[in-house]
Amino acid sequence: MTLSDELIASLVRPDSVHKRVYTDPHIFELEMERIYGQAWIYVGHESQVKQTGDYHTTRIGNQDVIMVRASDGNIHVVYNRCPHKGAKVVPDGDGTAGKFFRCPYHAWTFKLDGTHLSAPLRNGLHNTCFDPKHPDFSMRKVARVAHYRGFVFASQSHDGPDLATFLNGVASSIDNLCDRSPVGEVEVAGGVFRVQQRSNWKVFYENLHDTMHAPVTHESSASSARAQADQIGSMPFELLILEGNGEPYEFWEKLELRAYENGHGYMEGIFDPSAATRDPVAAEHFASLSQVHGETRAREIMGMNRHNTVIYGSGSPHTVFQQFRVIRPLSVDRTLVEIQLFRLKGAPESVFERALVYANAINSPSSNVMPDDVEVYARCQQGNQTNGGDWISMHRYAGTDREVENGMVSTNGTSELPMRNQFAAWKRFMVGQAGSGKGIE
């Protein structure tokens, strides 16, 4: 099915979008080509491939890829495909290839950068067009790979902005996540949650900065947390992070929302940063940073209070509780979310333990929060399949967004600025104008 640029552009208005952007499988296939085939996408962290031969499998859009540490110490990203019969070279997950990749089907082998190494009984390939030096007989590399503070991104396009330009203002969220370590480094640690959602991938990005939903969708978990706190006479951390979603609208209206080009942005944090010297765990963390940087810099680091950051196409790093929710589209109505947890090198172990508590209480499939979101995402997908209407409203505070350096800022914390910004970027990617420097339309 051919979709013209004019038709695609018509699906996005300044204050609304057509439901086809969530439900049309042909549009989904174009997204895999025009967004995930062009943008910088997070593929993993360097700590996941510490030694030569270590690999981590993931996806860039609908493409299975391998992030691997080669013998020269560099990290490469190659497509998970043997050029002989097309078999996946390694299974999904993390592992060690050793000194080279070996296809499990016919034992073709490849260097860790994907270059052809050998094939059994090569004499049977004489007098043919087989040339081991030809790229057709090697595992194909992803066009570009770049790192930012240990976070590895890849782009399937040889063209386009470099990684730092693409990230724009949200690079500061990655900086802050790393700076929370006294030595400025983090590593993936603990378990990884994986949740498959029955909804389009774009719904998750919108919800990350949707402050209007929190007291409604999460009403039961917030009220239950308050009731239990009243019963025991205190509000421990495990209940506090559940109760935080139940703040009144006046609270959410005061939060700041930032939007940057390419669909990125962040939402101001919902927990009080002044607790850095009051809460025992935070105080211990503050002391470890102060010992290295001094109290002034330590306060700056811990005072950067961001709840969710959106790196459009990749997912959402959370600086305060050191995690990265990696968002992978599977089909027009299926999305895989992988929650990676990070340890701050050199920080007290209690900081990591608290992050584990947060991940289990908020992000796990068995938590009281994640299932609420997964349910309403599915309902959005189901409702948009009906004949009940064609357009999705994104009208809240439209036309009031203020332009600031490198982006836009909301005038009200319940603004739908982030959604409008994401679809402005979506439209530019889909009609070939990504990286044009145009702002929200």
Side-chain angles (χ1 to χ4, degrees):
M1 180 180 180
T2 302
L3 296 170
S4 68
D5 286 355
E6 290 76 17
L7 187 151
I8 293 171
S10 72
L11 300 176
V12 178
R13 296 172 176 172
D15 54 14
S16 54
V17 298
H18 197 280
K19 67 182 184 183
R20 283 185 65 182
V21 303
Y22 306 99
T23 62
D24 190 328
H26 299 100
I27 289 177
F28 177 82
E29 291 304 319
L30 272 184
E31 290 172 339
M32 297 303 99
E33 173 189 334
R34 298 184 180 182
I35 299 178
Y36 286 88
Q38 300 291 325
W40 287 99
I41 306 297
Y42 173 67
V43 292
H45 190 267
E46 63 181 11
S47 63
Q48 293 173 287
V49 288
K50 294 180 179 179
Q51 305 297 325
T52 298
D54 288 354
Y55 67 80
H56 169 72
T57 67
T58 186
R59 289 167 66 89
I60 301 177
N62 57 2
Q63 300 296 307
D64 291 323
V65 299
I66 308 167
M67 179 180 73
V68 60
R69 176 85 64 174
S71 57
D72 61 1
N74 292 324
I75 294 175
H76 297 267
V77 180
V78 297
Y79 293 96
N80 195 356
R81 176 188 182 273
C82 174
H84 180 212
K85 295 293 185 180
K88 288 179 71 169
V89 176
V90 298
D92 293 340
D94 296 343
T96 299
K99 296 182 179 180
F100 53 82
F101 287 119
R102 181 179 185 271
C103 179
Y105 198 5
H106 295 96
W108 281 35
T109 59
F110 309 90
K111 296 178 182 179
L112 295 173
D113 64 358
T115 303
H116 183 91
L117 186 60
S118 68
L121 301 177
R122 188 175 291 183
N123 59 312
L125 299 172
H126 290 334
N127 302 319
T128 71
C129 63
F130 176 79
D131 178 359
K133 295 182 180 180
H134 195 283
D136 283 352
F137 299 103
S138 292
M139 296 173 68
R140 183 172 296 177
K141 298 179 181 180
V142 175
R144 291 186 292 167
V145 178
H147 310 232
Y148 190 84
R149 301 289 298 266
F151 291 79
V152 183
F153 292 77
S155 171
Q156 297 187 83
S157 173
H158 290 284
D159 303 319
D162 60 23
L163 177 60
T165 301
F166 175 79
L167 291 174
N168 200 326
V170 295
S172 58
S173 290
I174 297 178
D175 286 332
N176 185 246
L177 174 57
C178 296
D179 290 345
R180 285 172 179 265
S181 156
V183 299
E185 297 180 3
V186 301
E187 60 182 351
V188 175
V192 175
F193 290 125
R194 291 180 177 87
V195 181
Q196 188 173 144
Q197 302 177 352
R198 300 166 295 159
S199 52
N200 187 268
W201 63 275
K202 296 183 290 296
V203 176
F204 195 107
Y205 283 100
E206 296 172 42
N207 190 72
L208 285 165
H209 293 168
D210 185 332
T211 58
M212 288 292 291
H213 90 283
V216 180
T217 302
H218 304 301
E219 180 180 10
S220 61
S221 58
S223 60
S224 296
R226 288 192 185 117
Q228 188 170 356
D230 289 342
Q231 184 176 354
I232 64 177
S234 64
M235 181 69 76
F237 176 75
E238 293 85 348
L239 297 181
L240 175 67
I241 55 179
L242 295 176
E243 189 269 343
N245 281 313
E247 296 285 357
Y249 287 132
E250 291 80 6
F251 170 85
W252 303 100
E253 287 187 301
K254 295 176 183 178
L255 296 181
E256 180 180 279
L257 301 169
R258 289 267 178 161
Y260 298 102
E261 192 180 2
N262 299 318
H264 311 320
Y266 68 79
M267 166 188 163
E268 186 181 2
I270 65 175
F271 298 106
D272 181 9
S274 67
T277 56
R278 298 198 312 268
D279 171 79
V281 174
E284 190 178 8
H285 186 192
F286 178 77
S288 70
L289 289 173
S290 297
Q291 187 174 4
V292 176
H293 301 295
E295 289 193 5
T296 300
R297 177 57 181 151
R299 290 185 189 281
E300 289 177 354
I301 292 170
M302 296 188 70
M304 182 180 282
N305 191 24
R306 297 181 183 179
H307 190 62
N308 290 327
T309 293
V310 165
I311 302 178
Y312 198 60
S314 291
S316 177
H318 193 307
T319 60
V320 177
F321 296 115
Q322 63 247 36
Q323 62 175 236
F324 200 131
R325 279 176 284 181
V326 184
I327 304 172
R328 303 297 187 215
L330 300 179
S331 67
V332 71
D333 61 355
R334 291 291 186 275
T335 302
L336 177 67
V337 179
E338 177 183 279
I339 296 92
Q340 297 178 352
L341 193 64
F342 292 84
R343 174 181 276 110
L344 307 178
K345 292 184 178 181
E349 187 64 17
S350 60
V351 178
F352 179 64
E353 291 172 354
R354 170 165 286 190
L356 281 172
V357 171
Y358 182 87
N360 278 280
I362 302 298
N363 301 127
S364 78
S366 59
S367 77
N368 290 333
V369 177
M370 170 73 83
D372 292 338
D373 288 321
V374 172
E375 173 66 20
V376 294
Y377 300 162
R379 291 196 188 191
C380 289
Q381 197 70 27
Q382 294 160 1
N384 283 326
Q385 297 283 355
T386 73
N387 293 326
D390 292 332
W391 290 90
I392 309 297
S393 168
M394 296 180 179
H395 289 81
R396 287 195 62 80
Y397 288 94
T400 70
D401 312 314
R402 292 189 295 107
E403 189 171 346
V404 294
E405 184 180 3
N406 296 328
M408 307 287 287
V409 65
S410 64
T411 56
N412 186 289
T414 65
S415 171
E416 288 173 318
L417 163 65
M419 299 75 166
R420 293 189 291 269
N421 182 57
Q422 288 168 24
F423 274 101
W426 182 91
K427 182 176 177 179
R428 292 196 300 274
F429 274 114
M430 293 292 282
V431 299
Q433 297 177 349
S436 65
K438 295 181 179 179
I440 299 172
E441 300 175 6

